[in-house]
């Protein structure tokens, strides 16, 4: 139970909790709060340093700038296509790694502080911003083409909505959750920004938004600024899931963090006294709750904002509303949320959206049609640890990175439990995403989404182990010795994990030129058949063509004898004609993931060229376009 503070001391739950200040100007630790997971101390900067620029902080800022120059300069020299099965990690020049090492060491030294106090917020923000650009903007320095196929597709959906001014849920699943795309179309039209540039730098922007929400959220769990900076740093080093591209998931995840920040902030409650599991005791415990925020207007405002965000999330993404409902429910059942009816209202809003706006999609795709632990395990783990040795290594590194963070969090939880400082809310928010895993395979990506939703709270709990002492003075040298190698290891793991697919998800100018050409050649209603995903198509004319891939049409049997007749006959019987687009990246995708081989791809193309009426209409370094005969 958290000790209720007078309003002058506590105020808003987002306000800093300070200890008393003795006459010598040093801060005294505030009394620990029961149930707080990582409650620390916040001391104001020493008055003698206020308004002064310290040379060491200038040095930190310069070190961050040098790191950025080294990393950006090195990444810009990488030639595409990337031909290593390990992705960018195998081809980034050594100055990039020097810059990343320098940045991590600088952050740890800045986090440590000195006799004059902690490093200023401006410097810490600068170092964090450099980390975000280096980790999540690397691909933008390598190429000016957005990574992955899906960002192109999302631009096309936004363009279609902007052009037609109509949301037709019968088109595909995206139009059943149009919130994000309507916002994207509005932003593009209002700002006049180049859509491709937005998609290129979306990872940096999205991670920045996530960190802003997480920074507010962590204020409700710890009063120690050092620990908050550490949580944000750990979140970046553990964010390998690659969901930060231009997508509804990235947008909904940001809103999800804001909703959680409201639940543990203005809408939080002091729990009642727990006396047992008898009915009367549980009723007394539930009724014994009291609002943490003493200002009713702020609570009401937070409640209204939460409801608005719930509606926007339900209208923007398929999965996040379910995670939000689970998180709300477990927090409410813990007795730490004052707005206990919010989960019920959220369930009603979600049900209404599924029954009416999203009904066109759900009629053919029941939410739990592939539920089950065994199926989810096969789709999310077994089927992914396949392919070339390099690709299998990348997948295993992702698992190792996740397990390392969870192990740190588990050890931090044990430490807090022994010190009677474990906050049950952090544990619940970290483990509750696991409830999603058996519900649906989600195209083999459910485990990725589970780890993303858990990451903020895993990082929060892991920080309790890595920063073992809450203090306003300089951090112990042993803490620095532990942090530096941990950060360097995580940096290597995340670079391998996040950019392990660059052999096929970083496109060349030749490939995008081929896509533009096939969309120009194809008449309205024509079929465009690519070998596989990813293909950088559909950013324009989203509704004008039929887009298919061979691995979908042939159910992953891509042998020439089996797959050739399937896609050939499909294309011939399309009234508006058909084109086959073969690209380096799609072939690399199939080979890397073990679905095909270079020899098989050659045989399939040779089979296609041997068919009567097939015509090669375009060719460049990385792509070929064939027109299929009609009839």
């Amino acid at each position: 139970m958290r000790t209720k503070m007078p309003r002058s001391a506590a105020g808003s739950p987002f306000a800093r909790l300070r200890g008393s200040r003795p006459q010598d100007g040093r801060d005294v630790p505030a009394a620990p709060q029961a149930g707080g997971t990582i409650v620390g101390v916040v001391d104001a900067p020493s008055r003698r340093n206020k308004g002064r620029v310290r040379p060491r902080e200038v040095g930190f800022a310069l070190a961050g700038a040098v790191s950025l120059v080294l990393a950006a300069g090195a990444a810009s020299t990488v030639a595409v296509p990337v031909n290593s099965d390990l992705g960018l990690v195998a081809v980034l020049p050594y100055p990039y790694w020097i810059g990343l090492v320098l940045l991590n060491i600088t952050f740890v030294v800045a986090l440590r502080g000195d006799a004059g106090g902690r490093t200023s917020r401006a410097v810490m923000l600068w170092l964090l911003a450099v980390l975000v650009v280096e980790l999540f903007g690397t691909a933008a320095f390598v190429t000016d083409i957005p990574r992955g196929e899906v960002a192109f597709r999302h631009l096309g959906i936004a363009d279609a909505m902007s052009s037609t001014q109509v949301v037709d849920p019968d088109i595909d699943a995206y139009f059943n959750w149009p919130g994000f795309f309507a916002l994207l179309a509005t932003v593009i039209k209002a700002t006049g920004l180049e859509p491709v540039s937005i998609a290129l730098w979306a990872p940096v922007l999205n991670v920045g938004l996530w960190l802003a929400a997480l920074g507010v959220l962590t204020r409700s769990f710890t009063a120690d600024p050092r620990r908050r900076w550490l949580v944000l740093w750990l979140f970046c080093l553990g964010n390998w899931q690659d969901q930060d591209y231009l997508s509804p998931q990235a947008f909904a995840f940001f809103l999800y963090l804001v909703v959680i920040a409201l639940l543990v902030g203005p809408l939080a409650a002091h729990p009642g006294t727990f006396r047992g599991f008898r009915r009367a005791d549980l009723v007394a415990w539930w009724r014994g709750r009291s609002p943490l925020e003493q200002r009713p207007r702020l609570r009401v405002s937070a409640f209204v904002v939460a409801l608005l965000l719930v509606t926007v999330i339900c209208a923007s993404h398929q999965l996040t509303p379910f995670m939000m409902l689970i998180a709300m429910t477990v927090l409410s059942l813990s007795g730490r949320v004052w707005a206990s009816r919010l989960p019920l209202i959220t369930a009603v809003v979600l049900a209404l959206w599924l029954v009416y706006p999203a009904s066109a999609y759900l009629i053919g795709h029941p939410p739990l049609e592939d539920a089950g632990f065994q199926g989810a395990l096969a789709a999310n783990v077994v089927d992914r640890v396949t392919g070339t040795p390099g690709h299998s290594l990348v997948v295993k590194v992702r698992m190792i990175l996740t397990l390392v963070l969870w192990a740190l969090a588990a050890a931090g939880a044990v430490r807090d439990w022994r010190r009677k400082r474990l906050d049950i809310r952090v544990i619940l928010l970290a483990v509750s995403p696991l409830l999603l895993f058996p519900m649906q395979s989600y195209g083999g990506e459910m485990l990725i989404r589970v780890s993303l939703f858990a990451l903020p709270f895993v990082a929060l709990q892991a920080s309790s182990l890595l920063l073992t002492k809450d203090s306003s003075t300089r951090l112990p040298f042993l803490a620095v010795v532990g942090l530096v190698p941990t950060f360097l290891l995580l940096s290597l793991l995340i670079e391998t994990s996040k950019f392990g697919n660059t052999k096929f998800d970083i496109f060349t100018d030749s490939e995008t030129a081929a896509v533009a050409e096939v969309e120009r050649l194809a008449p309205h209603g024509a079929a465009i058949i690519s070998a596989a995903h990813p293909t950088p198509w559909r950013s324009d004319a989203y509704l004008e063509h039929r887009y298919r891939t061979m691995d979908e049409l042939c159910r992953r049997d891509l042998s020439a004898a089996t797959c050739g007749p399937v896609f050939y006959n499909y294309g011939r019987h399309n009234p508006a004609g058909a084109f086959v687009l073969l690209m380096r990246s799609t072939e690399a995708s199939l080979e890397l993931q073990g679905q095909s081989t270079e020899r098989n791809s050659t045989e399939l193309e040779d089979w296609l060229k041997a068919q009567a009426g097939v015509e090669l209409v375009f060719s460049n370094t990385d792509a070929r376009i064939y027109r299929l005969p009609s009839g």
Side-chain angles (χ1 to χ4, degrees):
M1 177 177 178
R2 298 183 68 177
T3 306
K4 185 176 178 180
M5 301 178 64
R7 180 170 178 178
S8 59
S12 167
F14 295 104
R16 293 184 174 183
L17 305 178
R18 301 185 182 275
S20 59
R21 179 177 295 278
Q23 293 181 354
D24 63 0
R26 292 181 291 107
D27 289 331
V28 175
Q33 296 170 300
T37 179
I38 29 188
V39 176
V41 192
V42 177
D43 62 320
S46 176
R47 297 194 180 195
R48 63 177 179 272
N49 291 317
K50 188 174 182 179
R52 295 176 55 185
V53 178
R54 294 188 289 173
R56 66 188 301 272
E57 295 191 341
V58 175
F60 294 151
L62 289 176
V66 170
S67 172
L68 182 58
V69 170
L70 286 172
S76 64
T77 65
V78 174
V80 294
V82 176
N83 293 317
S84 172
D85 289 1
L86 294 177
L88 277 181
V89 70
V91 298
L92 284 169
Y94 71 88
Y96 179 90
W97 300 105
I98 292 175
L100 198 55
V101 170
L102 173 63
L103 181 62
N104 278 289
I105 294 176
T106 301
F107 174 78
V108 172
V109 177
L111 190 70
R112 187 186 187 195
D114 63 5
R118 292 191 305 271
T119 305
S120 67
R121 177 183 297 180
V123 172
M124 300 300 287
L125 277 174
W126 165 243
L127 296 178
L128 186 64
V130 172
L131 180 70
V132 171
V133 173
E134 288 186 10
L135 290 184
F136 305 98
T138 301
F141 296 119
V142 173
T143 177
D144 57 0
I145 301 173
R147 283 177 62 226
E149 169 188 337
V150 186
F152 289 88
R153 188 191 310 161
H154 291 169
L155 288 176
I157 296 168
D159 177 67
M161 288 187 180
S162 178
S163 301
T164 62
Q165 302 293 317
V166 174
V167 177
D168 183 357
D170 293 321
I171 295 176
D172 58 33
Y174 293 107
F175 289 81
N176 288 254
W177 288 271
F180 166 76
F181 302 108
L183 175 63
L184 178 59
T186 302
V187 169
I188 292 174
K189 191 171 183 179
T191 62
L193 294 173
E194 183 65 32
V196 172
S197 297
I198 295 176
L200 182 66
W201 290 101
V204 173
L205 174 62
N206 284 327
V207 173
L209 291 174
W210 296 355
L211 290 175
L214 183 57
V216 174
L217 190 157
T218 54
R219 283 178 169 271
S220 297
F221 292 104
T222 176
D224 185 357
R226 279 198 183 99
R227 199 171 299 281
R228 294 201 293 268
W229 292 121
L230 178 58
V231 171
L232 298 180
W233 202 266
L234 282 175
F235 177 83
C236 289
L237 294 180
N239 186 13
W240 63 266
Q241 293 83 3
D242 211 17
Q243 298 300 310
D244 46 46
Y245 60 95
L246 188 67
S247 65
Q249 174 67 92
F251 174 64
F253 183 62
F254 165 65
L255 298 184
Y256 169 78
L257 292 177
V258 175
V259 171
I260 299 299
L262 293 173
L263 292 175
V264 299
L267 298 178
H270 292 292
T273 302
F274 182 76
R275 302 184 184 277
F277 290 97
R278 293 183 303 176
R279 180 184 178 87
D281 293 334
L282 290 175
V283 170
W285 165 74
W286 185 257
R287 292 178 177 176
R289 295 173 304 123
S290 60
L292 185 66
E293 173 55 57
Q294 300 299 312
R295 291 169 288 184
R297 289 185 178 180
L298 182 58
R299 293 202 305 272
V300 172
S301 299
F303 186 83
V304 172
V305 171
L307 285 180
L308 176 62
L309 296 182
V310 163
T311 305
V312 174
I313 293 173
C314 288
S316 300
H317 195 235
Q318 303 99 313
L319 182 64
T320 305
F322 291 96
M323 183 64 249
M324 182 175 58
L325 179 59
I326 291 173
M328 285 180 175
T329 303
V330 297
L331 285 177
S332 296
L333 293 178
S334 72
R336 305 298 295 273
V337 173
W338 179 245
S340 57
R341 291 183 176 85
L342 191 57
L344 178 60
I345 299 175
T346 299
V348 172
V349 173
L350 176 57
L352 290 175
W353 187 270
L354 295 177
V355 168
Y356 181 63
S359 60
Y361 175 79
L362 292 178
I363 288 174
H365 303 82
L368 300 177
E369 66 176 340
D370 59 350
F373 183 81
Q374 186 174 357
L377 188 65
N380 288 269
V381 180
V382 177
D383 291 348
R384 288 188 170 270
V385 190
T386 57
T388 65
H391 179 69
S392 297
L393 177 60
V394 169
V395 175
K396 292 173 183 177
V397 168
R398 292 168 181 164
M399 296 179 182
I400 291 172
L401 176 55
T402 303
L403 292 175
V404 167
L405 290 173
W406 276 83
L408 291 174
V414 171
R415 176 180 177 271
D416 284 339
W417 177 71
R418 288 178 176 176
R419 298 191 176 193
K420 298 183 179 180
R421 294 170 50 182
L422 184 65
D423 193 325
I424 189 62
R425 296 175 299 174
V426 179
I427 303 300
L428 291 174
L429 290 169
V431 302
S432 58
L434 294 172
L435 297 175
L436 290 173
F437 182 67
M439 292 184 180
Q440 195 181 63
S441 65
Y442 208 69
E445 292 190 358
M446 183 59 83
L447 199 56
I448 295 176
R449 309 307 171 97
V450 166
S451 62
L452 175 65
F453 285 117
L455 179 60
F457 312 102
V458 169
L460 186 58
Q461 193 60 67
S463 69
S464 184
L465 179 71
L466 296 176
L467 202 61
T468 58
K469 185 178 181 181
D470 297 321
S471 173
S472 61
T473 59
R474 196 176 191 182
L475 291 182
F477 179 73
L478 288 178
V480 174
V481 172
L483 287 175
V484 170
T486 300
F487 288 167
L488 296 182
L489 172 62
L490 293 176
S491 296
L492 177 61
L493 293 177
I494 189 177
E495 288 289 347
T496 306
S497 302
K498 184 171 179 61
F499 297 110
N501 293 335
T502 49
K503 188 174 183 179
F504 62 79
D505 69 5
I506 285 186
F507 306 110
T508 64
D509 291 333
S510 298
E511 290 173 313
T512 56
V515 170
E517 181 65 14
V518 73
E519 291 183 333
R520 184 188 70 81
L521 291 172
H524 185 85
I528 301 177
I529 305 170
S530 175
H533 301 290
T535 303
W537 55 8
R538 309 187 74 173
S539 60
D540 297 312
Y542 185 87
L543 304 177
E544 291 187 11
H545 309 299
R546 296 171 179 260
Y547 296 88
R548 298 292 186 271
T549 62
M550 294 180 187
D551 60 339
E552 293 172 345
L553 291 172
C554 302
R555 299 187 181 276
R556 301 202 172 191
D557 183 354
L558 297 175
S559 62
T562 302
C563 187
V566 172
F567 75 81
Y568 180 74
N569 290 326
Y570 172 83
R572 287 190 61 194
H573 290 90
N574 188 63
F579 294 79
V580 174
L581 173 64
L582 301 178
M583 300 196 311
R584 174 209 59 86
S585 57
T586 55
E587 294 171 359
S589 171
L590 294 172
E591 294 166 14
L592 204 67
Q593 299 178 78
Q595 299 178 31
S596 184
T597 63
E598 182 178 358
R599 177 181 176 181
N600 188 75
S601 298
T602 302
E603 291 177 351
L604 189 61
E605 186 170 1
D606 289 341
W607 182 94
L608 176 63
K609 290 188 292 185
Q611 304 309 302
V614 173
E615 178 186 3
L616 177 66
V617 295
F618 179 86
S619 177
N620 63 24
T621 306
D622 296 316
R624 285 85 58 205
I625 301 173
Y626 295 91
R627 178 188 284 117
L628 299 186
S630 59

